Every structure is written in structure tokens, then in C-alpha cells.
Amino acid sequence: MGNNKKVLVVDDEAHIRRVIEVKLKKHGYQVITAINGKEGLNLIITQKPDVVISDIMMPEMDGEALCKKTNSLKKERSFLTIILTCRISSDEESWTADMQDTLFIEKPFSPSMLVECIDQYFGGSSK
Amino acid sequence: MKSNHLNVPKMFRIGIILFLFVMTGIAICGQILIHEEKDNKINDLLDRGSYLTSLIALHPTKDLQGRKQDFFLRTLSEYTTYEGFVYCFIHDQSGHSFVSLAPNKLASQIPLDVQRASLQAMGLSKRTFQLNGTQNTIYEFAKPIFESGQKTGTVRLGFKLPQVSIFSFERIRFLAMIALFIFAVVLFFYYGIKLTLQPLKKISEDLQYTCNGSGLVNAQSSSTNGVAFMVKDLGQSLSQIKEKLVKIEADNMKLVSKLGVTAFEKKQIAAILDCINLGIIIVDIHDDVSHVNDYMLKLLKKSYAEAIGCPLTEFLNHDDIQAFISKQEDGMSYRSGEYIETTFPKHAPADTFSVSFSELKETESGLVGKMILIRKITNEKLAEEARKDFIAHIAHEFKTPLTSIKSYSEMLMDGEVNDIELKKEFYNTINTEADRLASLIQNLLSISRIEMGNLSINKSLVKTESLVGDSLAAIETAAQTKHIVIEKNLPDNFFSIVGDKELLKVALINVLSNAVKYTQDHGNITLSLFEQDDFIVFNIIDSGCGISQDDLPRIFEKSFRSSDPLVIKKPGSGLGLALTSEIIQLHGGEIEVESELGEGTRFLIKLPKEEYYIGKQ
């Protein structure tokens, strides 16, 4: 289970934030939320989450900008970034080549699969 | 190459001609000389005869008969050594001749009438006659001898004209000199003429060479160097040149005419090119600019004069375009229709241009130049970007409720939601998101139909009471959830409008649902319906978060969403107000908005009213 790992959910859609929050909490994760990239970045710096789940299209600061800005932080402290994408074009993920510990999950996603990905990440890291 | 040396037959002919000239000259001169000498001899004969006859007649007859006769005869003999002297008879008064110096039998050959006439003459007389039986013409001079006033005798002298011979030594010498002179003159004239005609001959040869070389005429040079042939050749050449000149003049007229037409057409084409909203550069095969249209000149801020003849690289001074053209020209990569997108940072920094290139070919001449087309595609680029953004936005808008529905339902199905309240919340969310999806699809379809121009408006008399009622019913649940109070200021007598009720309902619901969405819990919304001038006005006021002054002008743009955090919190496609605006405009109405951040928003929807209204039902 989550072992009280902290997960930050960044999405401008309240319903999405809510369902992820409920699901992850049920699996033992501690969940904090933000409504855009800018707010998310503050929480990453201050709250130091173990996992960041972020939507791509958001006001203020989008998921791509957030991911790029936080990539350098992973040198000091590694954490998983999951980007929720609508996958509109095939080259949408090209910018992730240089990103560390980043994976894409396409919308509409399955909450179970999302938890599985996070569990796997921590399972792998514990080895 | 023609020989300049005279050949033998030609020399012979020239010799013959010279000889004939000389002989003719000699003959003419000889004839003149003979005629002149003959005249001289006749005159001499007449003078001599008259003189001698008169001289003899001065002597008394006794001197001629007596002892002085011998002296007289000797003296006379000296006189008669003249080659023409024929006879001398001196007659006494009775007519008997006592002196006779004449060949034998000559006296019998002289006609008697001549003799008689001479004897009867009283003064000096002259007669000519032909000796009987001969062809000789004799000139006879007769004069009576008077002594003391008495005629005592008659003197008769006969002369014949001395033979005039052409072959005398002097004459032959003279004629030889004449011949030599004529020969010299003829030679002089021959070579003189030849020398004089030398430039003419050169001109003729040059003319023929030029004619043959240029193919102007079919001049065929004569193999003979004669003046006549030369003149003939020259004449032929000149004649052919004249014909050709006439033809060239006619062709020239046609060309001038064509040139005029071409110049006119060129001006027309230039005018057409100037009207085209594209940059056009035409270069020749040396890549020098031969034409540029106005659009391009304005873009590069250059004049036509400085463009023409300028190398293309220098004229454009654009590395990207030059690289593109070079790549196209290498033959391996040229493909018609290829283009690059570039910018002109110095001249039009905000615009994007597409540059294409094509070779200008003629059937006969092959490649004659190139044409570079430069088209401003800023709007297309913006439209393309807007389209991509819109698609991305719509995809996001579709996937967001879908994600909610899928994730919420999955959790419900997996039995992970056991709490009743949470379950209720999840079902409610699924329901809301499904409605959101349906609304999104409806709006999209409507917008698509409006944009494609095939939206059929089913116009009918619409009761505003029904329109308002249906619209309020659609938002009632949402408003109740947020405890929002909806105040209604409706007239006792509802107006009717002509329009598509379903579309008008979509428009009204979009505005009302926005009001509900952006109004905080326990807020209030007022819907008023009233008549103003020629319009029926729907006035919707909310006490919501309001719209910033920056966002106000853009709220009717398709897929525009404010960046205000209070707005962002709420789900929305950015299509609702765009669609509402389109629907109102389709009905000939207007939509206005007033807003203050944190105070609320007021929408005014004005629709043209009908002449009558239906009473309250």
C-alpha cells in the first residue's frame, strides 16, 4: 500500500482531483491538491511530495512547464511525475525525453491503473 | 578565291578591242585627213590654175610665138612641174592652138563644148569635166589674152586633182603617232577605269560576301572579274538587297506592330501582377531581376528602378530563400509546389510568408527564367494555430468529463465507494459530467452547423413565457444545489418573438448556466424581460465573480476561457457564449455584456419584437 507517501494532484478539474484523491487515500497515500501548475510548483517545493500527478492543459502554468521546472529538483530528491494527457498529437510527449522519472497516462484513465503505476514505482525504488 | 590575274583569252579579247579601237581611230583620222587634203589640193589647184592662167594671159601672143617662145615654154615647164598639171593650150584669135603642152591625143579627149566655151570666154573661167573615155576629172582654166584692148588669144590650162594617198610616209608616221596616242589613251582609260572601279569591285565583293554570309540574299559571285560582270553582280546584289529590304521593312513593320502589342500586353500583365496580393519576383536565366510587382516592392521597401537588373541574392538578401532556391535548382530535390515558410524580420517582423519557386519555360527556348512567389500566410498560420488550439481544447473538454465518468464509475463498480454520501456524490458527478458532455456535443454541433452555413433555423412564433420557463427549468437544479435565488421580473403579458425556439433556448440556457456557474453559493440571479424600442430584451444579472475588463472583449470568442482562477475552477468549454452570440445574431438580435470583477455580470439579449403579443396564459 501507499505507506503514507505524499502525492500531489495538480488539475484544474475538481472532479478529477476528487476521484484521484479518494482512490489514492483508499490505497494509503497522503494526498494534497493544486488547481494549476503555479500552485503545484509551490507545493512541490514546500511539501516535497513523492509523486506529482499533473494535468497538461491548465491555466497559469501548464503541466509541461511544471514538469520542466521541477525536473532539476529531482537531482536532489527523486520523485515520480505522472502526466495526464489527452494525447492530441503523437509528438506531444517529445519534450519528456530529457525528463527524469516521468510517465504519461492518457485520459480517460483508470484510477486502479494509476495506483498500480505509483505502487510499481515505489516497489521498484524500494528494491 | 578569285584570281586577280588576267587570263589569256581575256587578254586576247582586250587586245582585239584595243586593236579595233586603234584601227577605228586610225580610219576615222585617215578619212578626215584625206578629206582635208583633198580639199586643200582642190583649193591649191584652183589657186594655182587661176594664177598660172592669169599669169600666162598677161603675156602678149608675140612673146609666146616668137623668139621668146622657148624661154616662155621653159618657164612654163617649171610651173607645170606641179603634179596635177595636165595640159596647156594657147590659142590665137582664130582658135588655133600655137602652143600645146599636152600628151598626145589628149586634145581629142577634151569635150568640144568645153573647148568652145573656154575660147569664147572673155575673162578667167573654170570648168570641170571628165576626159572622154576616162574617169579622170579635169579642172580647166581659161583666160583670153588682150593686147591693146583687142583679144588676141586664149590660154587654156588643164589640171587634174593630184592623187591623195593614205600611204604616204608622212601620213603613215602621223597615223602611227595617232595610233600610239589612241593606244596610250585607251590603255590609260582602261586602267584608269579599272582603278576607279576597284573600290566598287571591293564593295561588290564585300556586298556579296555579306549577302552570302548573312543569308540575306542568294548572291552568286561571277567567276569573271570583268567590270560588266562586276556591275552585273553589284546590280543583282543590289536588286536582291532591295527586295530583301522591302521584305525586311514589311517584317519590321510587323515586328514593330508585334512589339507594340507585346509592350501593351506586358503593361497589362504588369498591371495584373500589381493587383495580385502576392509578392512576385521574376528573374532571367542569369538570376537578375526582370520584374517585381508592387506588393514585393512595398514589402522590401525598394523601388522598381533599383530592383530591375539587380541580382536576386542582392535584391532579396535573404539566406533562407536563397538556400531554398539553390536546393530546388540542384535538380535532385526540385518538386513543383514545394515551399518554405519564412519571415522578413527587417520589413515585416510580425508576418509569416510562404516562398515557392517555379521555373519559367518556353517550348522553343527552354528555360527562360524563374518566378519566386511570396505569399503572406500570417492569417493562415494564426488560423491553423487557432484550429489546433481549438481541437486540443475540445479534445481536452471531451476527455475531462469522460475521465470523470470513467474513473467515478470504475470506482463504484470496483466497490471502493461504500459510504452512502460519497456514493451519492459519485453518482451525482457522473450525472453532471454526462450532462456536461451532452451539452458540449450539442454546442459543438450547433457551432459547426452555424460555421458551415447549413444551420436551418426553424422560425416560428415563440412564446417568451415558454422560452423563459424551459430555460429556467434547465438550470433550476444547479441553482438549487448552490442555494442561488433566481428573481424573475416578467411582464404580465408575455411578448412573442419569431425565431427558432430550440436555438434560442440554447442561447438563454448558456447565459443562465454561466450565471449559476460563476455565482457563489447563496448568491442571486435576476432575469428580467421587457420591451425596449423594437426589441424584446432579456436582462440577466448575476452576483458572480465578474469578468475582468481585459477579458470582456474576448468572451464571445470560440474556446476562449478566462485565466481568472475563479473561472478556471469551474468546468467549461469556452463554447457557450460564442454559440449564444452566433444564435442571437442569426435572429437579427444583439447581445451585450457589462461586468465588474467581484461585483457580478449583466447580459442583455435583444431580439426583434413582433407587432403583436400574446396575453398571459
Side-chain angles (χ1 to χ4, degrees):
Chain A
M1 294 297 277
N3 297 323
N4 216 24
K5 297 278 186 190
K6 195 183 283 180
V7 180
L8 170 65
V9 181
V10 189
D11 201 314
D12 58 333
E13 279 292 328
H15 298 312
I16 305 293
R17 289 197 305 271
R18 174 72 175 148
V19 76
I20 294 171
E21 185 183 3
V22 172
K23 180 73 180 179
L24 290 176
K25 277 183 175 171
K26 279 211 170 281
H27 285 261
Y29 290 98
Q30 188 186 340
V31 179
I32 51 174
T33 60
I35 61 165
N36 57 43
K38 198 175 173 182
E39 203 178 303
L41 182 62
N42 285 331
L43 290 175
I44 289 169
I45 294 164
T46 56
Q47 300 291 315
K48 293 182 174 51
D50 302 294
V51 179
V52 177
I53 300 168
S54 174
D55 187 18
I56 277 273
M57 290 178 72
M58 289 183 296
E60 292 286 318
M61 184 190 290
D62 64 14
E64 183 180 337
L66 176 69
C67 195
K68 284 176 179 172
K69 278 182 185 290
T70 55
N71 193 49
S72 57
L73 300 176
K74 292 182 179 177
K75 287 174 189 170
E76 297 165 9
R77 185 182 66 84
S78 68
F79 58 89
L80 175 68
T81 306
I82 296 172
I83 302 291
L84 301 176
T85 175
C86 291
R87 204 185 291 274
I88 293 150
S89 61
S90 56
D91 60 343
E92 196 176 304
E93 299 161 25
S94 58
W95 58 271
T96 59
D98 299 330
M99 300 295 125
Q100 197 183 330
D101 294 331
T102 304
L103 60 92
F104 268 79
I105 290 181
E106 192 177 336
K107 285 183 180 178
F109 61 90
S110 156
S112 303
M113 196 185 75
L114 184 68
V115 172
E116 209 172 295
C117 287
I118 297 167
D119 286 346
Q120 241 178 26
Y121 174 75
F122 289 119
S125 63
S126 63
K127 282 177 186 175
Chain B
M1 189 80 183
K2 289 181 289 182
S3 171
N4 286 326
H5 299 288
L6 298 176
N7 50 25
V8 175
K10 190 179 171 187
M11 277 184 71
F12 181 73
R13 279 200 300 275
I14 291 171
I16 293 285
I17 290 164
L18 276 175
F19 178 75
L20 287 173
F21 262 104
V22 172
M23 290 311 292
T24 308
I26 289 171
I28 292 166
C29 288
Q31 280 300 315
I32 293 167
L33 285 172
I34 288 169
H35 187 71
E36 197 176 334
E37 190 174 339
K38 199 174 176 181
D39 286 348
N40 287 340
K41 288 216 172 189
I42 288 170
N43 290 334
D44 184 48
L45 184 146
L46 291 173
D47 290 346
R48 192 182 289 264
S50 299
Y51 171 72
L52 199 56
T53 306
S54 299
L55 186 67
I56 294 169
L58 286 174
H59 291 82
T61 50
K62 61 181 180 189
D63 289 350
L64 303 172
Q65 289 177 336
R67 52 186 171 83
K68 290 183 182 175
Q69 190 180 33
D70 291 340
F71 172 73
F72 170 73
L73 288 175
R74 271 199 310 274
T75 307
L76 190 59
S77 296
E78 286 174 11
Y79 277 103
T80 55
T81 53
Y82 175 67
E83 60 177 321
F85 181 77
V86 179
Y87 60 86
C88 174
F89 294 110
I90 301 172
H91 298 269
D92 58 15
Q93 197 174 1
S94 61
H96 176 70
S97 65
F98 55 90
V99 173
S100 178
L101 290 173
N104 293 332
K105 296 181 185 176
L106 181 70
S108 61
Q109 289 176 311
I110 299 169
L112 287 173
D113 57 333
V114 173
Q115 190 176 337
R116 197 178 300 124
S118 294
L119 289 172
Q120 288 174 357
M122 292 307 286
L124 182 63
S125 64
K126 288 176 283 185
R127 287 174 192 85
T128 55
F129 63 88
Q130 281 191 321
L131 282 175
N132 290 337
T134 68
Q135 291 293 318
N136 292 329
T137 302
I138 301 294
Y139 290 78
E140 185 177 281
F141 297 88
K143 189 171 184 182
I145 302 169
F146 287 96
E147 291 175 41
S148 306
Q150 293 294 317
K151 183 180 175 182
T152 58
T154 303
V155 178
R156 284 172 58 215
L157 292 178
F159 296 88
K160 66 174 180 182
L161 201 62
Q163 197 173 0
V164 178
S165 173
I166 197 168
F167 296 110
S168 66
F169 174 72
E170 283 186 358
R171 189 159 294 118
I172 287 170
R173 194 176 62 183
F174 180 73
L175 288 174
M177 285 174 68
I178 293 285
L180 198 63
F181 176 74
I182 293 171
F183 183 75
V185 167
V186 168
L187 268 180
F188 175 77
F189 272 100
Y190 174 78
Y191 283 105
I193 289 167
K194 198 172 176 185
L195 278 173
T196 310
L197 291 176
Q198 201 66 29
L200 197 62
K201 186 182 171 190
K202 183 79 173 57
I203 290 168
S204 174
E205 285 174 356
D206 288 349
L207 204 58
Q208 285 179 359
Y209 178 76
T210 307
C211 292
N212 286 327
S214 65
L216 269 174
V217 292
N218 298 321
Q220 290 180 346
S221 177
S222 169
S223 61
T224 314
N225 281 325
V227 173
F229 287 108
M230 189 181 75
V231 171
K232 192 182 166 191
D233 284 347
L234 193 62
Q236 279 179 349
S237 298
L238 286 172
S239 171
Q240 286 175 328
I241 285 171
K242 197 177 172 184
E243 284 174 18
K244 287 288 172 185
L245 274 176
V246 171
K247 195 170 177 298
I248 287 168
E249 202 171 323
D251 290 346
N252 192 36
M253 285 297 288
K254 283 181 189 171
L255 282 174
V256 168
S257 169
K258 270 188 182 175
L259 200 64
V261 172
T262 308
F264 178 69
E265 286 175 347
K266 193 181 172 187
K267 276 186 183 174
Q268 278 191 322
I269 290 167
I272 291 167
L273 292 182
D274 283 344
C275 294
I276 294 173
N277 203 25
L278 290 172
I280 299 171
I281 306 168
I282 296 168
V283 295
D284 59 21
I285 51 170
H286 306 295
D287 278 351
D288 292 335
V289 176
S290 58
H291 186 76
V292 190
N293 72 342
D294 267 358
Y295 183 96
M296 200 64 220
L297 290 172
K298 280 176 189 165
L299 176 64
L300 297 179
K301 296 181 177 62
K302 289 192 176 182
S303 72
Y304 188 77
E306 64 182 314
I308 297 304
C310 183
L312 180 64
T313 46
E314 197 179 307
F315 177 66
L316 278 174
N317 192 23
H318 199 295
D319 293 342
D320 288 353
I321 297 176
Q322 200 52 49
F324 169 68
I325 292 171
S326 300
K327 193 181 163 192
Q328 292 280 296
E329 279 179 334
D330 69 10
M332 297 297 290
S333 58
Y334 177 77
R335 284 212 307 271
S336 180
E338 273 202 359
Y339 66 94
I340 55 160
E341 289 178 10
T342 188
T343 55
F344 289 86
K346 279 186 193 169
H347 307 105
D351 290 319
T352 308
F353 295 86
S354 81
V355 180
S356 60
F357 152 90
S358 61
E359 291 179 332
L360 300 175
K361 285 181 178 174
E362 277 186 0
T363 319
E364 292 173 1
S365 316
L367 184 68
V368 292
K370 283 171 277 190
M371 180 165 69
I372 295 103
L373 290 176
I374 295 169
R375 189 167 66 90
K376 189 160 87 173
I377 53 165
T378 312
N379 291 339
E380 284 95 324
K381 288 289 287 180
L382 290 174
E384 177 66 15
E385 280 169 21
R387 191 184 66 83
K388 281 181 181 171
D389 288 348
F390 179 71
I391 289 170
H393 177 81
I394 292 303
H396 186 261
E397 290 308 311
F398 267 108
K399 286 202 171 186
T400 301
L402 268 177
T403 304
S404 298
I405 293 167
K406 181 179 168 60
S407 54
Y408 279 75
S409 57
E410 185 187 298
M411 284 187 70
L412 285 168
M413 284 189 295
D414 288 349
E416 290 190 83
V417 185
N418 298 317
D419 183 72
I420 304 275
E421 283 300 314
L422 193 62
K423 223 179 230 180
K424 193 178 171 188
E425 180 196 332
F426 271 43
Y427 282 127
N428 200 29
T429 302
I430 289 168
N431 187 44
T432 309
E433 292 296 273
D435 286 345
R436 181 180 166 188
L437 205 55
S439 168
L440 180 67
I441 290 166
Q442 180 59 47
N443 281 347
L444 257 182
L445 285 174
S446 300
I447 279 191
S448 170
R449 284 165 67 200
I450 288 169
E451 286 190 344
M452 288 170 73
N454 61 359
L455 180 73
S456 54
I457 303 174
N458 299 317
K459 279 192 174 179
S460 60
L461 203 61
V462 179
K463 296 172 187 173
T464 52
E465 184 183 22
S466 158
L467 182 64
V468 169
D470 291 351
S471 301
L472 286 173
I475 59 151
E476 194 175 8
T477 310
Q480 280 174 356
T481 307
K482 294 178 79 175
H483 310 288
I484 292 169
V485 178
I486 298 177
E487 290 179 24
K488 292 168 268 187
N489 294 327
L490 302 174
D492 291 337
N493 295 320
F494 279 93
F495 314 106
S496 283
I497 49 175
V498 173
D500 188 314
K501 187 184 174 186
E502 289 308 311
L503 284 178
L504 288 173
K505 202 164 84 178
V506 168
L508 208 53
I509 289 172
N510 275 333
V511 176
L512 286 168
S513 61
N514 271 351
V516 173
K517 196 191 297 180
Y518 299 113
T519 298
Q520 291 163 348
D521 290 358
H522 305 287
N524 56 68
I525 294 170
T526 307
L527 170 64
S528 309
L529 181 63
F530 55 87
E531 191 179 3
Q532 187 182 66
D533 300 328
D534 296 330
F535 292 96
I536 305 296
V537 183
F538 295 83
N539 186 24
I540 299 126
I541 302 169
D542 66 54
S543 59
C545 58
I547 305 165
S548 73
Q549 294 304 306
D550 290 342
D551 291 342
L552 264 181
R554 298 189 61 196
I555 59 163
F556 296 113
E557 285 178 18
K558 194 168 65 181
S559 77
F560 171 77
R561 288 210 76 200
S562 171
S563 55
D564 191 312
L566 294 170
V567 177
I568 293 303
K569 278 182 182 174
K570 312 293 178 187
S573 64
L575 296 175
L577 285 179
L579 178 61
T580 300
S581 172
E582 292 279 357
I583 291 170
I584 301 303
Q585 282 177 33
L586 273 174
H587 284 80
E590 295 168 10
I591 182 165
E592 294 169 9
V593 60
E594 296 166 7
S595 188
E596 283 287 331
L597 264 179
E599 297 292 324
T601 305
R602 176 191 187 210
F603 279 93
L604 274 174
I605 295 173
K606 296 178 175 179
L607 290 167
K609 70 176 181 184
E610 279 303 300
E611 291 300 316
Y612 56 92
Y613 58 87
I614 296 170
K616 189 177 179 181
Q617 293 176 356

